[in-house]
Amino acid sequence: MTRLFGTNGVRGVVNQDMNPDLALDLGRAIGTYYARRKEKPFIAMGTDARISNHMLKSACTSGLLSVGCNVEDLGILPTPALQYAVKEKDYDAGVIITASHNPPQFNGIKVVDLDGTELSKEQEEEIEDIYFSKSFRIVSWDKVGQLSAWDGAGELYIKGILSKVDTEAIRKANLHVVLDCGNGAGAVVTPELLRRLGCKLTEVNCELDGFFRGRPSEPVPENLGELMERVREVGADLGVAQDGDADRAIFIDEKGNYIFGDQSFSLLARYIIRGRKGIVVTPVSTSSSLEEVVTREGGKVIYTRVGSPIVARVMKEVKAVFGGEENGGLIFPEHQYCRDSAMTIAKMLELLAKEEKSLSELISELPRYELVKTKITCPNDRKEDVLRRIKDVVSSQQDVRKIDDTDGVKIYLEDGWVLVRPSGTEPIFRIFAESKDRGKAEELADSYKRLVEDMVSTS
Ligand code: MG
């Protein structure tokens, strides 16, 4: 069966694959699924700032109402703010219309469970079954759901974050922050949060704009030139950029340098683990700098398959104190089990207030690793065979220290590691190679790329 849900909900180009018909039937399927647990499910609905948000929200809401769910419209919100509202209030689930960092022509639909976490694969498959078989619940005219609206979710979310950081220390530090929301949903709450934390605020792209006119939504270095420039210009203590649905945050140091997500992750992990120990959870693709930092402080890293819902679930199971991904998506369990950029920003401000060093100094204290990424095309139906043969070959290699097959195959060598991972969405293998030495990382990436190419061409 064709999969509907990808790694992050259902996504597509608006009015091509992501159209009102799909949103309507998906609304019916989601509602039918929740109606198996409860006669009249109460569903929270939110969107990011894309121009197709009303079209898809209306269709999806109609589907939910038609199968007997009550729906509450929370308006434009960051994804984590909707998740927080679902967790804190009496909703049975939440739906957010968003395509995160994708270009403006995309949109998507993501479902969160009653505790605010993203659905498991099994739950998504059950909804897919209902969708493809069109076995929607049918209710009589008097059981059709009702629509309400609530505009308090942003305030609830801001208060939730303020209650989990040392606001007094942050206010005393008087930090100057340049915030770049990328015209995305973060603009609804993040400037207000920073003002309440007593920060001096310089705003870049903090107006909602469904065309993302300020910059492309993905917070990668090539998209943050303006932010880096502004940090230097105004002499700020730091800069921060969010993606379109504000679950990820990327930082800029006071000199205007881009800080990669694995570095801010390591820095916050050190701060959280220090003197407390505990477990940090992350996918196998994350830099070894995290493990080095966490182990040094007496903590432990547990690796998972790639995907933030998996990280969140494992964090819950092992009672981790922190977790996240190398792309700036970090999870604070005392707040909620999902990636949350505003919480990440507040925690980073607390760290800066307490450590009394500049962000660039703090980053320079971390171990440095070089990561090289590459990819190779491989038809989806041959991936399994290719992967099995790669495992066979590497298990007999002399220089291999350890093999981890949590997700694809991760090969630990004397001076680095290589991860060969089949993409869940595209007909490719992704290859990550990491070492402390740039040349060595490139050499590893090249040699394993050749190995995988051989396997693909001979399979
Ligand atoms: Mg996102």
Side-chain angles (χ1 to χ4, degrees):
M1 190 180 75
T2 329
R3 291 264 298 154
L4 194 60
F5 287 91
T7 341
N8 263 300
V10 185
R11 286 209 196 147
V13 174
V14 171
N15 278 355
Q16 291 177 23
D17 26 7
M18 180 51 69
N19 56 40
D21 298 309
L22 180 129
L24 177 69
D25 275 358
L26 194 53
R28 285 171 164 152
I30 295 162
T32 302
Y33 172 77
Y34 280 98
R36 287 174 181 173
R37 300 184 188 178
K38 192 178 180 183
E39 175 59 26
K40 202 151 202 74
F42 189 24
I43 314 287
M45 172 69 71
T47 76
D48 71 12
R50 288 161 198 274
I51 63 155
S52 53
N53 61 359
H54 288 296
M55 177 185 90
L56 294 169
K57 178 171 80 176
S58 305
C60 189
T61 299
S62 176
L64 287 162
L65 297 172
S66 75
V67 297
C69 297
N70 287 334
V71 178
E72 188 143 85
D73 185 354
L74 308 189
I76 296 177
L77 280 177
T79 299
L82 176 109
Q83 291 177 277
Y84 192 71
V86 172
K87 182 191 126 195
E88 292 292 306
K89 297 212 10 159
D90 55 354
Y91 303 114
D92 299 300
V95 174
I96 182 115
I97 312 290
T98 179
S100 183
H101 62 274
N102 287 150
Q105 64 270 31
F106 283 80
N107 213 335
I109 298 174
K110 185 160 155 172
V111 187
V112 301
D113 213 359
L114 83 169
D115 60 356
T117 61
E118 291 160 69
L119 298 188
S120 67
K121 201 161 166 271
E122 293 71 33
Q123 290 176 298
E124 288 181 345
E125 278 167 5
E126 211 174 312
I127 294 173
E128 283 172 351
D129 278 344
I130 301 166
Y131 175 89
F132 286 112
S133 64
K134 292 195 180 287
S135 47
F136 307 126
R137 183 194 200 196
I138 294 166
V139 299
S140 56
W141 69 270
D142 55 334
K143 301 280 190 326
V144 166
Q146 295 304 300
L147 177 63
S148 54
W150 183 54
D151 64 3
E155 183 60 28
L156 179 76
Y157 177 65
I158 290 174
K159 283 203 175 119
I161 293 172
L162 290 174
S163 73
K164 283 150 204 133
V165 290
D166 188 340
T167 50
E168 207 176 310
I170 300 172
R171 285 190 191 117
K172 250 191 231 157
N174 239 325
L175 295 162
H176 185 175
V177 185
V178 184
L179 171 68
D180 181 349
C181 300
N183 303 126
V188 176
V189 294
T190 323
E192 178 61 19
L193 174 72
L194 292 179
R195 279 191 281 269
R196 288 201 210 169
L197 284 169
C199 296
K200 183 175 177 197
L201 180 63
T202 301
E203 299 185 18
V204 176
N205 303 317
C206 288
E207 324 70 44
L208 296 176
D209 181 348
F211 291 96
F212 300 134
R213 285 182 178 93
R215 65 160 164 92
S217 193
E218 172 86 324
V220 288
E222 56 269 34
N223 294 339
L224 301 185
E226 187 188 0
L227 173 62
M228 295 189 254
E229 187 57 46
R230 283 305 283 282
V231 170
R232 276 190 293 265
E233 224 173 72
V234 302
D237 295 293
L238 73 158
V240 63
Q242 294 172 307
D243 74 327
D245 68 335
D247 55 356
R248 296 192 281 132
I250 284 291
F251 294 92
I252 305 297
D253 74 16
E254 78 286 356
K255 295 174 179 163
N257 297 313
Y258 185 95
I259 297 173
F260 281 90
D262 56 355
Q263 293 175 298
S264 46
F265 188 3
S266 295
L267 185 61
L268 280 161
R270 186 179 74 170
Y271 176 68
I272 288 166
I273 289 285
R274 190 165 276 175
R276 175 187 178 185
K277 300 188 168 54
I279 297 170
V280 178
V281 178
T282 196
V284 284
S285 51
T286 297
S287 169
S288 299
S289 96
L290 178 76
E291 185 169 349
E292 199 176 313
V293 163
V294 169
T295 314
R296 206 187 282 159
E297 299 296 334
K300 188 182 168 205
V301 170
I302 289 183
Y303 290 105
T304 67
R305 289 168 55 93
V306 172
S308 70
I310 303 167
V311 173
R313 267 160 218 285
V314 172
M315 282 177 69
K316 243 181 171 174
E317 276 164 34
V318 303
K319 297 190 169 56
V321 294
F322 191 37
E325 300 175 313
E326 40 60 58
N327 59 9
L330 303 180
I331 304 171
F332 299 83
E334 70 277 22
H335 178 51
Q336 58 177 344
Y337 283 99
C338 65
R339 296 180 296 193
D340 192 318
S341 71
M343 182 67 199
T344 304
I345 296 167
K347 209 70 191 172
M348 185 63 91
L349 295 173
E350 182 188 291
L351 180 157
L352 285 170
K354 294 202 168 174
E355 300 261 5
E356 292 178 336
K357 286 181 191 169
S358 72
L359 189 48
S360 68
E361 277 175 89
L362 289 163
I363 292 292
S364 70
E365 294 169 0
L366 297 173
R368 279 218 92 104
Y369 283 87
E370 300 288 338
L371 181 67
V372 176
K373 296 181 186 181
T374 181
K375 58 187 173 188
I376 292 162
T377 48
C378 174
N380 282 331
D381 59 352
R382 276 164 53 197
K383 280 179 180 168
E384 219 172 293
D385 181 48
V386 168
L387 190 62
R388 188 180 47 73
R389 290 174 56 215
I390 296 166
K391 282 183 199 168
D392 281 352
V393 170
V394 296
S395 61
S396 62
Q397 280 173 352
Q398 290 295 317
D399 56 341
V400 172
R401 287 189 158 184
K402 189 173 90 178
I403 293 170
D404 177 342
D405 61 359
T406 304
D407 196 350
V409 56
K410 188 172 181 180
I411 305 137
Y412 288 86
L413 299 140
E414 173 121 30
D415 38 14
W417 55 260
V418 181
L419 173 69
V420 179
R421 202 187 141 252
S423 161
T425 48
E426 297 167 72
I428 55 169
F429 271 102
R430 293 188 192 285
I431 298 178
F432 296 66
E434 191 185 72
S435 175
K436 287 204 159 166
D437 178 69
R438 184 81 200 168
K440 182 70 201 171
E442 280 166 2
E443 191 189 308
L444 284 173
D446 278 352
S447 74
Y448 279 84
K449 187 179 181 183
R450 277 197 304 275
L451 174 74
V452 179
E453 269 167 354
D454 282 352
M455 297 290 167
V456 173
S457 63
T458 58
S459 73

Short mmCIF file of all heavy atoms in Angstrom, two decimals, residues 11 79 98-101 110 243-248 339, ligand 1:
data_model
loop_
_atom_site.label_atom_id
_atom_site.label_comp_id
_atom_site.label_asym_id
_atom_site.label_seq_id
_atom_site.Cartn_x
_atom_site.Cartn_y
_atom_site.Cartn_z
N ARG A 11 2.71 15.49 3.44
CA ARG A 11 3.13 16.74 2.79
C ARG A 11 3.02 16.66 1.29
O ARG A 11 3.10 15.59 0.72
CB ARG A 11 4.61 17.04 3.12
CG ARG A 11 4.76 17.51 4.52
CD ARG A 11 5.92 18.44 4.71
NE ARG A 11 6.18 18.51 6.14
CZ ARG A 11 7.37 18.65 6.66
NH1 ARG A 11 8.43 18.76 5.89
NH2 ARG A 11 7.51 18.71 7.96
N THR A 79 4.08 24.80 15.71
CA THR A 79 3.69 23.41 15.97
C THR A 79 3.81 23.06 17.46
O THR A 79 2.88 22.50 18.04
CB THR A 79 4.51 22.44 15.09
OG1 THR A 79 4.24 22.75 13.73
CG2 THR A 79 4.15 21.00 15.35
N THR A 98 0.76 22.33 8.33
CA THR A 98 2.09 22.93 8.18
C THR A 98 2.97 22.07 7.30
O THR A 98 2.79 20.85 7.22
CB THR A 98 2.79 23.10 9.55
OG1 THR A 98 4.09 23.66 9.33
CG2 THR A 98 2.98 21.78 10.29
N ALA A 99 3.94 22.71 6.61
CA ALA A 99 4.97 21.96 5.90
C ALA A 99 6.34 22.39 6.42
O ALA A 99 7.33 22.37 5.69
CB ALA A 99 4.86 22.17 4.39
N SER A 100 6.38 22.77 7.72
CA SER A 100 7.64 23.08 8.41
C SER A 100 8.53 24.02 7.61
O SER A 100 8.17 25.16 7.36
CB SER A 100 8.36 21.77 8.73
OG SER A 100 9.54 22.02 9.44
N HIS A 101 9.70 23.55 7.15
CA HIS A 101 10.68 24.40 6.47
C HIS A 101 10.57 24.34 4.95
O HIS A 101 11.35 24.98 4.25
CB HIS A 101 12.09 23.94 6.86
CG HIS A 101 12.34 22.53 6.43
ND1 HIS A 101 11.99 21.45 7.22
CD2 HIS A 101 12.84 22.03 5.29
CE1 HIS A 101 12.28 20.35 6.57
NE2 HIS A 101 12.79 20.65 5.39
N LYS A 110 -0.33 17.32 9.94
CA LYS A 110 0.34 16.51 10.94
C LYS A 110 -0.61 16.30 12.11
O LYS A 110 -1.34 17.22 12.49
CB LYS A 110 1.58 17.28 11.38
CG LYS A 110 2.49 16.59 12.31
CD LYS A 110 3.84 17.29 12.20
CE LYS A 110 4.67 17.16 13.43
NZ LYS A 110 6.02 17.70 13.18
N ASP A 243 12.61 27.77 12.00
CA ASP A 243 12.08 27.29 10.72
C ASP A 243 10.59 27.67 10.64
O ASP A 243 10.07 28.33 11.54
CB ASP A 243 12.34 25.79 10.54
CG ASP A 243 11.46 24.92 11.39
OD1 ASP A 243 11.12 25.36 12.51
OD2 ASP A 243 11.09 23.80 10.97
N GLY A 244 9.90 27.28 9.57
CA GLY A 244 8.55 27.76 9.30
C GLY A 244 7.52 27.46 10.37
O GLY A 244 6.59 28.25 10.58
N ASP A 245 7.62 26.32 11.04
CA ASP A 245 6.64 25.99 12.07
C ASP A 245 7.25 26.08 13.47
O ASP A 245 6.64 25.65 14.45
CB ASP A 245 5.99 24.62 11.82
CG ASP A 245 6.95 23.46 11.99
OD1 ASP A 245 8.18 23.68 11.84
OD2 ASP A 245 6.50 22.35 12.29
N ALA A 246 8.48 26.62 13.53
CA ALA A 246 9.11 26.98 14.81
C ALA A 246 9.28 25.82 15.78
O ALA A 246 9.11 25.96 16.98
CB ALA A 246 8.35 28.13 15.49
N ASP A 247 9.63 24.65 15.25
CA ASP A 247 10.04 23.58 16.18
C ASP A 247 11.56 23.50 16.26
O ASP A 247 12.11 22.86 17.14
CB ASP A 247 9.41 22.22 15.83
CG ASP A 247 9.67 21.78 14.41
OD1 ASP A 247 10.28 22.55 13.63
OD2 ASP A 247 9.27 20.65 14.07
N ARG A 248 12.27 24.18 15.32
CA ARG A 248 13.73 24.13 15.34
C ARG A 248 14.32 25.52 15.49
O ARG A 248 13.79 26.48 14.93
CB ARG A 248 14.24 23.50 14.04
CG ARG A 248 13.80 22.05 13.90
CD ARG A 248 14.54 21.36 12.79
NE ARG A 248 14.03 21.67 11.48
CZ ARG A 248 14.80 22.01 10.44
NH1 ARG A 248 16.10 22.14 10.58
NH2 ARG A 248 14.27 22.26 9.28
N ARG A 339 9.98 18.51 19.67
CA ARG A 339 10.95 19.57 19.39
C ARG A 339 10.30 20.92 19.63
O ARG A 339 9.14 21.12 19.28
CB ARG A 339 11.37 19.49 17.91
CG ARG A 339 12.09 18.22 17.56
CD ARG A 339 12.47 18.20 16.11
NE ARG A 339 11.30 18.19 15.26
CZ ARG A 339 11.34 17.94 13.96
NH1 ARG A 339 12.48 17.68 13.37
NH2 ARG A 339 10.24 17.94 13.24
MG MG B 1 9.83 22.31 11.53
#
